[in-house]
Amino acid sequence: MICRMGTDFQFQMALYLIAGSDESIGVKIYDKSTGKWTVPTVLGKEPKPCKGHSAVAINEDRILVIKKGATPDDCIWFLEVDTQYVREQKTIETEIVAWSKGVIGNAQKPVVISGPSGVGKGTLISLLMKEFPSMFGFSVSHTTRKPRDMEKDGVHYHFTERSVMEKEIKDGKFLEFASVHGNLYGTSIEAVEVVADDGKRCILDIDVQGARSVRASSLEAIFIFICPPSMGQLEERLRARGTETEEQILKRLCNAKAEIEQGTSSGIFDHILYNDELDECYKTLKKLLGLDGSTVANSQTAPGGIDLPVDHSVSKIDNKILINCGTPGSGEASKNLIVLDVSSLKEGAPGRTRGLDVYTVYSFSDGLNGINKLS
Ligand SMILES: Nc1nc2c(ncn2[C@@H]2O[C@H](COP(=O)(O)OP(=O)(O)O)[C@@H](O)[C@H]2O)c(=O)[nH]1
Ligand SMILES: Nc1ncnc2c1ncn2[C@@H]1O[C@H](COP(=O)(O)OP(=O)(O)O)[C@@H](O)[C@H]1O
């Protein structure tokens, strides 16, 4: 492995070294109090190797890493060293850092939908996905339960063995997980990232325990609880669906009481919807998601990127990162300065940092300038 680039950052008690090779980008930490180097546990998907990188410390929380020669959608990354997410994952034994990819603009908050089995969560989500296919993406959960007749692996769930899922949970691959009706269910970090990378708003269908975990995490979301009009109607719907055995139906009905109690009284949920008449409930759901005609349905912007030349220099002034791409040529306008505004950074899904504003400044040889906002 040939190490051909490195940047280092001094924080109060530690120095972070980011070094890249043809194969990987590695991180080492020098502890000033003990004088020792350690290799931290690195969470998140590591950026692909590149032709070099520039890096700037944004604050004590994270370091911005700009990859050279990367594709426009893959050049802005953050090494999180003390963000809320990293603090949540910290163990006593090892130092932890996390990679997260920079997302231009403000993708809309994910939507968490919970409610008892048979209340109509899946039905409402299907309606949304059908009416707004380019706006919403479903977070495909993992589960140890067996697939139903019509369910497809990788579409409705990632059907998995308990031992495999438990190992992946241990390896930090899950945003949340819970035991529901005797099976293990969980949202992998990747499931949420896939939707974000597609430029879509993520919908999570998870139980109340999962919603509680997400509420406590760094992922900002809208939380909606769906209630049945009555326990009798819930039972009717579950039986009419015809996907569960009698034993499973009874277990689900028994759990429904506690779920409804927690869902309606725990303060986890921003909105409680009653799914009596499906059409009415769907209309209300669209209204609270801002889809009642006041917004253009498919207006979600595609995931953006920045076309960076390999040769550039980086500097920081307050909350602005200036990427200098060289002097303009004669005659034509040339893009010679890209400005990243990091004043409204937000933690997204683990593995993503949202809220990056990007401007390109064009200069003409006669001294005139033009500004173009990408986000
Ligand atoms: N915590 C958590 N719950 C999930 C996840 N995926 C599904 N669930 C919940 O697990 C419960 C059972 O789901 P499922 O087996 O599909 O049955 P259904 O609710 O009757 O359609 C529902 O409350 C789902 O919301 C997940 O990734 N995490
Ligand atoms: N408002 C409603 N009125 C009557 N039946 C409904 C309504 N909403 C959903 N259903 C039906 O109830 C059953 C359970 O709905 P489903 O979406 O599978 O629930 P969940 O995903 O919450 O378990 C399905 O057969 C569905 O067609």
Side-chain angles (χ1 to χ4, degrees):
M1 179 168 117
I2 308 158
C3 189
R4 62 165 151 67
M5 57 180 172
T7 37
D8 55 44
F9 292 91
Q10 300 256 8
F11 288 98
Q12 257 179 0
M13 289 309 295
L15 181 141
Y16 292 82
L17 174 71
I18 305 170
S21 73
D22 292 338
E23 293 149 30
S24 63
I25 297 184
V27 183
K28 271 177 139 187
I29 303 176
Y30 179 74
D31 186 328
K32 291 186 210 164
S33 60
T34 61
K36 282 190 183 144
W37 284 97
T38 51
V39 177
T41 300
V42 183
L43 302 175
K45 208 190 306 171
E46 182 187 300
K48 285 191 209 118
C50 53
K51 293 186 175 145
H53 73 256
S54 317
V56 190
I58 299 297
N59 45 34
E60 298 270 303
D61 300 352
R62 68 188 90 213
I63 298 161
L64 170 71
V65 175
I66 302 170
K67 290 171 61 180
K68 295 186 174 175
T71 53
D73 65 341
D74 190 48
C75 54
I76 305 293
W77 284 77
F78 292 90
L79 181 70
E80 301 188 19
V81 298
D82 193 29
T83 56
Q84 186 192 334
Y85 173 61
V86 166
R87 285 194 296 272
E88 277 164 16
Q89 309 299 321
K90 265 210 168 116
T91 56
I92 297 164
E93 303 96 63
T94 58
E95 285 287 344
I96 288 183
V97 294
W99 282 112
S100 73
K101 193 167 160 177
V103 178
I104 298 173
N106 250 326
Q108 285 184 294
K109 286 180 188 175
V111 183
V112 171
I113 296 191
S114 292
S117 180
V119 74
K121 303 179 295 298
T123 308
L124 289 162
I125 292 170
S126 297
L127 288 172
L128 264 186
M129 306 270 293
K130 219 168 174 181
E131 189 172 350
F132 307 104
S134 60
M135 186 179 262
F136 293 102
F138 185 60
S139 156
V140 181
S141 294
H142 282 59
T143 181
T144 59
R145 92 150 155 72
K146 296 283 162 268
R148 294 173 188 150
D149 277 352
M150 301 299 289
E151 286 179 332
K152 288 202 185 97
D153 189 29
V155 176
H156 298 95
Y157 280 106
H158 297 289
F159 295 100
T160 181
E161 293 296 323
R162 184 173 277 268
S163 57
V164 175
M165 191 164 162
E166 281 174 348
K167 159 99 178 48
E168 289 184 347
I169 289 171
K170 223 171 163 187
D171 291 345
K173 293 192 175 161
F174 279 78
L175 178 62
E176 62 77 33
F177 60 92
S179 176
V180 192
H181 317 314
N183 285 301
L184 202 53
Y185 292 80
T187 310
S188 71
I189 292 168
E190 197 180 347
V192 180
E193 281 180 359
V194 165
V195 178
D197 284 353
D198 227 9
K200 294 183 178 175
R201 188 171 189 184
C202 189
I203 304 184
L204 293 87
D205 173 347
I206 57 177
D207 85 316
V208 177
Q209 305 166 74
R212 192 189 300 276
S213 304
V214 175
R215 188 54 124 178
S217 80
S218 52
L219 182 72
E220 278 182 59
I222 293 185
F223 294 78
I224 300 170
F225 188 79
I226 316 283
C227 250
S230 69
M231 287 305 286
Q233 291 212 33
L234 184 68
E235 180 168 356
E236 249 174 54
R237 285 179 198 175
L238 255 183
R239 290 189 185 284
R241 190 171 70 183
T243 49
E244 265 70 36
T245 62
E246 181 61 22
E247 188 193 351
Q248 285 162 349
I249 289 175
L250 293 178
K251 190 183 261 182
R252 279 158 196 265
L253 286 173
C254 180
N255 291 342
K257 288 198 187 101
E259 284 170 319
I260 293 169
E261 210 171 283
Q262 287 177 41
T264 50
S265 66
S266 58
I268 298 172
F269 294 92
D270 303 308
H271 306 278
I272 295 170
L273 290 190
Y274 283 85
N275 184 16
D276 190 351
E277 286 300 318
L278 183 60
D279 281 358
E280 281 308 306
C281 185
Y282 181 54
K283 264 190 210 151
T284 317
L285 176 63
K286 286 200 288 185
K287 199 167 176 184
L288 63 89
L289 293 176
L291 301 166
D292 54 340
S294 55
T295 49
V296 181
N298 290 330
S299 64
Q300 187 92 344
T301 49
I306 310 170
D307 205 357
L308 274 183
V310 175
D311 290 322
H312 61 253
S313 60
V314 178
S315 54
K316 178 172 184 280
I317 300 176
D318 299 327
N319 280 319
K320 309 265 191 306
I321 309 298
L322 311 181
I323 307 174
N324 201 323
C325 306
T327 48
S330 64
E332 293 204 0
S334 68
K335 178 174 68 181
N336 71 337
L337 188 66
I338 294 172
V339 181
L340 306 184
D341 185 336
V342 292
S343 55
S344 355
L345 288 188
K346 291 190 185 71
E347 296 183 31
R352 292 294 178 277
T353 299
R354 297 183 290 127
L356 197 59
D357 281 327
V358 183
Y359 304 83
T360 50
V361 181
Y362 291 83
S363 292
F364 295 82
S365 49
D366 60 6
L368 289 174
N369 289 326
I371 292 183
N372 181 25
K373 188 168 187 276
L374 291 182
S375 49

